[in-house]
Amino acid sequence: MSYGPPHPVARLLLTPEDKEAPARALRLFQLGLGEYPDPALDTFAGHLAELTGAPYAMVNFIGENRQFFAGLHVRPTVNLARTDDSKPVLGRPMERDHGFCPHVVVRHKALVLEDVCDYPRFAGNPIVDEFGIRSYLGAPLIDSTGMALGTVCVIDVEPRPWGKAGLETIKASAAELVMRLERRAADGLPL
């Protein structure tokens, strides 16, 4: 028996199986989402960060093999980016097994983690050690077809009591954004 580091596939077992991924990737392509940064979604993420008081907010679309933060807000006074070459830098694309959004998408339900270290399933996620993430609040972007396209989420490097107000805010923000995205797709209107 080996007591060394787990087999690389073992980490993937923490990420739930996503049977909708191929259909979601097609839907995202049809809507023109998930491949490029979108200034309107950056603005939306900034507003979400302001509403919740979180230093980071994202509009995240999840494809078959990766996540993409089409909307991203990073508070200028706090930076997850590392300066040495050995540590990761927060960017727009992220591995599918990193973070908590894939759980939200598969569950089709919001997720509140006031302190990720309190939950063994989430405490071992790569972003906890690599970026120092300690709390997460996210809700799925469920379109009119019933498909979860991705998430809106906020994160912090400190534990946070998001509470009922935080949960209501993130869920309402997700519903609002889905309406805007579908209206934009149907009418060619901006967010």
Side-chain angles (χ1 to χ4, degrees), residues 21 33 69 77 103 109 126 128 136 140 142 145 147 157 176 180:
L33 298 171
F69 302 125
T77 58
H103 296 270
K109 292 182 182 177
V128 175
Y136 172 90
I142 300 176
T145 71
M147 181 173 293
V157 294
E176 176 189 343
R180 289 182 182 193

Side-chain angles (χ1 to χ4, degrees), residues 75-135:
R75 185 180 294 159
T77 58
V78 180
N79 190 358
L80 289 179
R82 311 296 171 108
T83 56
D84 67 358
D85 292 334
S86 66
K87 296 184 180 175
V89 175
L90 178 65
R92 291 196 185 253
M94 183 177 278
E95 297 293 323
R96 199 180 166 291
D97 66 332
H98 284 47
F100 313 112
C101 293
H103 296 270
V104 173
V105 167
V106 170
R107 293 166 22 126
H108 283 236
K109 292 182 182 177
L111 178 62
V112 180
L113 300 171
E114 294 182 345
D115 186 342
V116 298
C117 294
D118 289 343
Y119 303 90
R121 177 178 190 137
F122 298 113
N125 195 283
I127 66 166
V128 175
D129 290 333
E130 292 175 13
F131 295 112
I133 301 304
R134 289 294 302 272
S135 59

Side-chain angles (χ1 to χ4, degrees), residues 3 5-6 8 21 43 52 57 61 98 111 116 129-130 135 144 146 148 157 159 163 168 177 184:
Y3 292 100
T43 300
T52 61
F61 297 110
H98 284 47
L111 178 62
V116 298
D129 290 333
E130 292 175 13
S135 59
S144 59
V157 294
E168 290 173 359
L177 183 57
R184 178 171 81 171

